[in-house]
Structures are given as structure tokens and as C-alpha cells.
Amino acid sequence: MADSLVETVPSTSSHLNVGGGMNTINQITAEIRVESSQPPSAVVPSSSSSSSSSGSASGSSSLPAGGGGTGTSAASTSSSSTSSTTSTTNNNAPHNLSLSDQNQIMTQPAAQSDLNLNIVKSNEKDQLKCGAGGGVGDENDDDGEPEIKRRKITNIQKIEKLELRLGGILCCAVCLDLPRTVMYQCSLGHLMCAACFTHLLADGRLRDQNATCPNCRTEISKSNASRNLAVEKAVSELPSECQFCCKEFPTKSIENHENNECEERPTDCKYVRIGCQWRGPMHESIEHEQHCAHPKKSGADVMIALQSFDKQCAEDKKLFSTLIDLLSYEKIIFNDLQMKPYRTDEYVHRLFYETSRFSAFNYQWVVKAIINKSQREPHQSCERDITYQLILKSKPTTTLSLHFFILKGPFSDMKVNTQIYKHDFTETETESPYNLLPLPDTAECNRLLAAKAINFRLIMFLASK
């Protein structure tokens, strides 16, 4: 019996060299597989049954029948040996399992870690979408970019350059553009370019009201508004975009670039006189002129274009010839005049300009001008013009065949073209029709309206009988 007890102890050691011990290990390993596939509630009975079976097996093989105290100690020894065998089996289970079982056991932790990583990423995306204020379908915007990337791009765009910020500060308060000319300011410092300043003064003249600053509503006029030279110099150094090539140059040199240097500036073909209507960028003009078909056309084909060109030349020649003929008249006189604004006595007071009486050819005359042909509300119109008439205030004894036109005088900076008008003054016809004052554009008209008075020179030619 002692030998049997001694032999039983090594069979329960961790080395497991006895054949009976190997059978016990295989049985325990199979039970462990069953336990891993069952829910946790089924593990406890299996473990207890395993312990009891192992104990009975060890007891039957190791202990004789009828050993009271010794049997008890053997049972406890067998129980402890079983637990030790179980722990050893758990540690060395992969070495005793088949290759497919080992691969399954080894891949389970990796799969579980991948699952956990996917869950974490999903939670992070949900948190980002919730933080951005979007729902499940708002992960991407309309352009297909993620919300985070779009917000970063928006933040970068908000950081503007210093030149752009200065441009927003130094721009005109009316047109919101950087001026290339003179800059005025009101008494509180609000900036206005020369064109907008004269436009405001012209509107005030047409409304018969004092012009006001669009920002602070303080009164503005040529007497209380002043130029801001510091702003003009600062603006001249700021970059300005070319309207043709869209490149940036200093404002002080942008005009020269657009007129003489820009390769994208529009230009006409050199064969425009013979009918070529091509107009395109400067850098394409050479290639076009090399392949232009108009030089190869016959004389009959280009005759139509030459006729229209000759018509314009004939008009210029006629004006020149008329001036030469008028200078040969015996009676020629000119007067430097000044027209001042007045209002009519009607219910709606209309603006008109009129000169004081002046003497010419022993008669008294007056020049009168109106805006937009006495339009009811000319301040609401963007296009403005001035028409004038010559009025005879004396009673003529004979018919006066008179030629007259207006020029820029020595006390005026008016930009006006030459246009000669003719009218025969009689006892019944003492007023000439209203004739257009040939100004280049509406801006020049606004500049004249913004002034307190309009200075000009009137030249009159009287044809002798």
C-alpha cells in the first residue's frame, strides 16, 4: 500500500509522466473545451463533476478499500492534485491541442481587439458629428469633403492678408472700392472717392438739399470736406488687380500697366480700316494679323468698310471747314460766362442754370441750361446730361443768322467736345432750341453739378448780309 501511495504522488505532479495521468489530462482538456463553448452558468457543474470523477479515479487506483484516515488524506491529496493539474493544463493547453484549435485560440484575441478598435472609431465619428451639430447623414458636405476639413479651410480663409484688411478700411464709403484718384473725407473722417463725392454733391443740388455723408449724415460740401493725402499715398502702394490679366500691381502703376504693358488688354486688328472686326488680347494680335483674311480681299470687298470710314472723316473735315469759314466772318465775339443754379416757381421746383445778361452784337443775351430735359426726379437717374439754349433778350430789327458753341474757358476745367449749332433769331423766334452740351460722360456732368457754378466760354459768329 505504501508503494501504491508513493507511486500515486508523482502521477499528480506537473511533469505528468504516468500513462494514467495523461488520460486524466486528456479528459480535463476535453472538459475545458466544453466549458469554453458553454455559457458561464454551465461551467460550475462541469468543474465539480470533473473534480469528483478525477478524485474517484485517483482513489480507486491509488488507495485500497477501507483505509479511513488515509483515504481522507488521499482524497484531499487527489483534489489538490486535480486543481494543480487543471492549472497546468490551462497553461500548456496550446501545446496539447491540434493545430487548427491552436490557430483558433490565437486568433480570437486579435479579432476581439479589431472589433474593439472599430467600436472606438465609430464612437469618435459620432462624437465629431455631434460636436459639429450635424446628424448621421451630415458627415460629408455637398462637395464631398468631411466636416472637419471644411471647417479648417473656412478658418484658413478667414485669416486675410494685411493688404485686404487695409483695403476694406481705406475704401470709399459709397462705392466700397479703392480709388485711383483724389480721396475726400467728411468732418468725422469718413472717406469718399472723388467720383462719389461729386455724385453726392450733384444729388444734393438736384434735390435742393444739403449733401450729407452716407455714414454719419453730417453735411458735406467743397468748403468743409478736405482731401486725405495720407490715405491717397497709402492706397497708391496697395496692390490692385488688373481688369484684364487679373494680376496684382501697385495702384499707382496699374493704369500704365492696363494701357501699355498688359498682354491681355483688348486691341483691334491693324486692318480695322478695311473692315476687320477682330478685337482680342494684345498677345494674340500678331498671330491674327498674320492669318487675317482682309488684306487678301479685293477692292470691291473692302469698299463698304472704306465708305463708313470715309463718312467719319468727312464729318471731321466738315467741322474743320466750318470753323475755318466762321473765322472768316466779319463779326465774331466770345464771352467768358458763368451759369448759376436756380429753381422754378412751380409746385415741383425744377433745377435750371442761367447766366446773367451779357452784350453781343449790340444785343442782350442769356444762356439757360436744364438737366435731363427737365425730368421730374433727375436724381433717381444714373444717366445725366445738360442741354442749353441761347435766348435773345432784345428785340431784333432784322433776322440774325447766328452760329455758336461752347468751349472750355480760362476759368474752367470743363471737358467738352466741339459741336456747332445754328439758329436764326427773329422777332418771334428769340429762343434757340435746347442743344446738347457734348460732355464725355455722366461723371463729368456730376462734376459740373457739384460745383457752385459752371464756367465756360461762348463763341458767337454773326453772318453779315
Side-chain angles (χ1 to χ4, degrees), residues 16-55:
L16 303 176
N17 295 322
V18 184
M22 290 297 293
N23 294 331
T24 305
I25 293 172
N26 292 334
Q27 182 180 3
I28 295 172
T29 303
E31 292 176 356
I32 292 174
R33 291 179 183 176
V34 174
E35 292 173 1
S36 62
S37 63
Q38 292 179 353
S41 61
V43 174
V44 177
S46 175
S47 177
S48 61
S49 63
S50 175
S51 300
S52 61
S53 63
S54 298

Side-chain angles (χ1 to χ4, degrees), residues 97-281:
L97 299 177
S98 62
L99 182 59
S100 60
D101 295 336
Q102 291 180 10
N103 291 334
Q104 184 178 3
I105 294 172
M106 294 176 66
T107 56
Q108 284 181 355
Q112 184 67 25
S113 63
D114 293 339
L115 180 60
N116 294 336
L117 182 59
N118 292 333
I119 293 174
V120 171
K121 290 183 178 180
S122 179
N123 292 335
E124 290 179 354
K125 289 182 179 180
D126 293 340
Q127 291 177 359
L128 291 176
K129 288 186 287 184
C130 293
V136 177
D138 295 337
E139 180 179 357
N140 296 337
D141 57 1
D142 297 335
D143 297 334
E145 294 183 350
E147 178 68 18
I148 298 300
K149 182 178 179 181
R150 188 180 66 81
R151 292 172 63 186
K152 288 182 179 179
I153 293 175
T154 304
N155 293 334
I156 292 174
Q157 292 175 350
K158 289 181 180 179
I159 304 176
E160 297 179 346
K161 294 182 179 180
L162 177 61
E163 293 86 350
L164 297 178
R165 298 200 302 271
L166 287 178
I169 296 173
L170 302 179
C171 67
C172 173
V174 181
C175 63
L176 303 179
D177 194 9
L178 286 177
R180 300 182 183 180
T181 55
V182 178
M183 181 72 84
Y184 292 94
Q185 67 175 9
C186 71
S187 58
L188 297 182
H190 297 117
L191 302 174
M192 290 162 284
C193 64
C196 294
F197 180 68
T198 55
H199 193 99
L200 291 174
L201 295 180
D203 285 349
R205 178 79 67 190
L206 294 173
R207 294 179 179 180
D208 196 17
Q209 298 175 357
N210 294 326
T212 58
C213 173
N215 282 1
C216 59
R217 300 302 176 186
T218 58
E219 183 180 347
I220 57 174
S221 63
K222 287 192 174 181
S223 60
N224 59 13
S226 59
R227 290 180 59 181
N228 194 321
L229 299 179
V231 172
E232 292 178 13
K233 292 180 180 179
V235 170
S236 66
E237 298 297 333
L238 290 177
S240 182
E241 189 177 86
C242 174
Q243 60 178 331
F244 305 123
C245 65
C246 298
K247 296 181 180 179
E248 291 187 349
F249 298 90
T251 305
K252 61 183 179 182
S253 62
I254 191 66
E255 184 176 357
N256 179 63
H257 167 77
E258 292 178 349
N259 295 334
N260 304 317
E261 299 176 355
C262 183
E263 293 294 329
E264 298 291 338
R265 70 183 187 273
T267 183
D268 295 325
C269 177
K270 67 179 181 180
Y271 301 111
V272 65
R273 295 186 177 183
I274 58 176
C276 182
Q277 300 296 325
W278 182 89
R279 182 175 176 84

